[in-house]
Amino acid sequence: AGETATTLSSTGTPYSMVVDTKNIYWADFRNGNINITPLTGGLSTFISMLNSPSGLALASSAGILFYAVDQQPGEIYSVATAGGSAMVLPTTQPPGTFALAIDATTIYFTGSGSVYEMPRGGGGFVDIADGEDPLNLAIDSKYVYWTDYFAGTVMRTPK
């Protein structure tokens, strides 16, 4: 309260972001980068480059960042927060993916009018909420939550 807003980065086209104790990780949708910016501000660096990165999820205790590519079919990648080579998760090609959320065992993601889940290490995905237009995604210990942009609703389903 009472603190002035501070610009931490002014490059690219920020799309989604996650934060840990030291950095903000953000998807630069237009330029195709996953960037890291220190919480104190300063120079942004990138840890991965590909077309149209969208949703991000962070397993901060494991030092792994998961991100999605908004294409048909979509792909979900993982990369160490310290940088390195990104690995595409083995899956049955999920539809274009917009938002991600993870827990200890599962990745939840949105795309093509549904909410899906799959094992965190990859594998087949399951449609857990069909016929929606999910935009944002969040989880807690019991539920998966999302916003339905066109219906103007906030929805949930049990994990």
Side-chain angles (χ1 to χ4, degrees), residues 20-45:
D20 65 15
T21 59
K22 297 179 183 179
N23 298 299
I24 295 174
Y25 304 85
W26 53 278
D28 180 350
F29 188 80
R30 185 178 305 151
N31 294 316
N33 299 331
I34 303 295
N35 296 287
I36 303 172
T37 303
L39 291 178
T40 56
L43 186 61
S44 293
T45 58

Side-chain angles (χ1 to χ4, degrees), residues 1-65:
E3 191 172 314
T4 304
T6 302
T7 302
L8 298 179
S9 177
S10 61
T11 60
T13 308
Y15 187 77
S16 63
M17 66 181 171
V18 292
V19 64
D20 65 15
T21 59
K22 297 179 183 179
N23 298 299
I24 295 174
Y25 304 85
W26 53 278
D28 180 350
F29 188 80
R30 185 178 305 151
N31 294 316
N33 299 331
I34 303 295
N35 296 287
I36 303 172
T37 303
L39 291 178
T40 56
L43 186 61
S44 293
T45 58
F46 66 88
I47 58 173
S48 190
M49 292 182 65
L50 50 124
N51 293 327
S52 308
S54 55
L56 297 176
L58 181 64
S60 56
S61 62
I64 300 172
L65 181 69

Side-chain angles (χ1 to χ4, degrees), residues 86 96 117:
E117 68 178 16

